[in-house]
Amino acid sequence: MSEDVEFDRSATAPSGEVVELSPLVRRVIAGNGGPMTFTGTCTYIIGRGTVAVLDPGPDDPAHIARVLAALAGETVSHILVTHTHRDHSPAVPALKAATGATVAGCLPHRAARELALGEINPLDAAADRDYAPDLPMHDGDTVTGPGWTLSAIATPGHTANHLAFALAEETSLFSGDHVMAWSTSIVAPPDGSMASYMSSIEKLRAMEHAIYWPGHGGPVNEPQRFLRGLVQHRRQREAAILNRLRAGDERISEMVPPIYQGLPVALHGAASLSILAQLEDLVLNGTVICDEALPMLASRYKLVRA
């Protein structure tokens, strides 16, 4: 049975205050709200006394100061990172210098595929290439503290190095930018991959977590229902792309306005990358062909005729 995804955009604007979300989880939202970050990046503090800090956020001295103030009197054993976009990891060096914590989590930034000849990565500036973990984590790796256990779950798609973290004691998941209640995750080649993203969604569907704490916005309160909705949403987007190809559209620039009706022009670039990700997958599975060796933003696309 299919379900439509219902997004929750009711979260309040970031105040910088420490919010207690559960017995083991606190949150401080960075002041970097915007069209791609909603109300700002969520920095999480996990545990009591000896704690882990997950996704320290952007290189923003005000946000770093608020996080350090929230940690007064406590020991930070680990700094964890879900992925290496500049709204999540650049605060790591300052937090490490102030706390001496071990930096753990995702591997350094990498693309999901090589650039095609003549292709330019439009998201290159969004990547934090200075991030270098002390303890690179892979699927199933675990870090622990008094009363808390965080296990890495490899969830590539939004980025190739994306990790989610399961908090065993509360059956919860820190889902990073892979699953968010306020919006679908942008999957933008060459950094992201739609095939990997959908595989990671199916991976999470095989797990049971009571709640997700995402990288932006409020919690996902019914994860399994929400994941089913995300799958349906992507299928609907794929169907819309196929319909545009049947209507004669060959270029991504032609598809964006009718598929994303009412979307501000400033976000058309992000929408173009999302369509490219879907087309990459459709070319991979043989439904669509393009006129280049690898699908690119400027390529021409056609349906494969039976």
Side-chain angles (χ1 to χ4, degrees):
M1 179 178 177
S2 64
E3 296 185 46
D4 292 332
V5 65
E6 296 180 3
F7 297 117
D8 180 5
R9 298 185 174 92
S10 62
T12 57
S15 64
E17 295 179 0
V18 183
V19 178
E20 305 237 358
L21 302 174
S22 75
L24 286 175
V25 180
R26 290 165 279 171
R27 181 185 64 200
V28 184
I29 301 177
N32 63 336
M36 305 299 291
T37 56
F38 195 36
T39 60
T41 302
C42 296
T43 296
Y44 294 100
I45 301 169
I46 299 108
R48 302 284 169 172
T50 298
V51 305
V53 176
L54 187 142
D55 281 352
D59 185 11
D60 174 6
H63 177 63
I64 295 166
R66 288 192 292 265
V67 172
L68 289 172
L71 296 167
E74 296 184 293
T75 299
V76 182
S77 62
H78 295 85
I79 300 168
L80 299 173
V81 177
T82 60
H83 66 291
T84 43
H85 278 157
R86 289 193 175 277
D87 53 328
H88 286 260
S89 57
V92 165
L95 193 60
K96 177 179 173 63
T99 64
T102 297
V103 177
C106 67
L107 275 63
H109 193 84
R110 67 184 190 278
R113 64 164 173 79
E114 295 295 324
L115 286 172
L117 183 64
E119 185 180 17
I120 296 173
N121 185 352
L123 291 180
D124 204 40
D128 177 11
R129 299 188 183 278
D130 295 327
Y131 165 81
D134 303 315
L135 179 64
M137 296 181 70
H138 301 84
D139 192 57
D141 289 347
T142 297
V143 295
T144 63
W148 54 267
T149 308
L150 288 164
S151 299
I153 301 173
T155 47
H158 175 65
T159 58
N161 64 348
H162 196 286
L163 294 178
F165 290 90
L167 177 59
E169 289 77 7
E170 294 188 346
T171 323
S172 59
L173 183 78
F174 296 94
S175 56
D177 282 8
H178 184 60
V179 179
M180 299 177 288
W182 78 281
S183 176
T184 55
S185 175
I186 183 171
V187 180
D191 285 1
S193 161
M194 184 59 68
S196 296
Y197 172 83
M198 296 306 295
S199 293
S200 295
I201 290 289
E202 292 303 320
K203 183 177 184 176
L204 292 185
R205 290 182 70 182
M207 302 177 179
E208 291 293 336
H209 296 103
I211 193 169
Y212 288 0
W213 300 114
H216 305 274
V220 177
N221 288 305
E222 296 181 77
Q224 286 299 323
R225 181 174 181 272
F226 195 81
L227 290 173
R228 289 194 297 270
L230 284 180
V231 171
Q232 178 68 8
H233 180 82
R234 291 293 179 180
R235 286 174 179 164
Q236 290 171 346
R237 184 70 73 218
E238 179 180 289
I241 292 169
L242 294 175
N243 284 337
R244 294 315 310 166
L245 290 168
R246 292 188 189 100
D249 291 352
E250 294 186 345
R251 295 190 183 275
I252 290 173
S253 58
E254 298 171 320
M255 301 179 198
V256 171
I259 292 177
Y260 290 88
Q261 294 183 27
L263 185 73
V265 174
L267 295 179
H268 278 202
S272 296
L273 289 169
S274 291
I275 291 177
L276 174 60
Q278 296 266 183
L279 284 166
E280 263 194 354
D281 197 34
L282 289 166
V283 169
L284 184 66
N285 67 32
T287 304
V288 172
I289 57 174
C290 78
D291 63 350
E292 304 282 355
L294 287 173
M296 294 190 290
L297 284 170
S299 299
R300 289 182 180 273
Y301 297 90
K302 291 182 181 293
L303 281 172
V304 174
R305 303 298 180 185

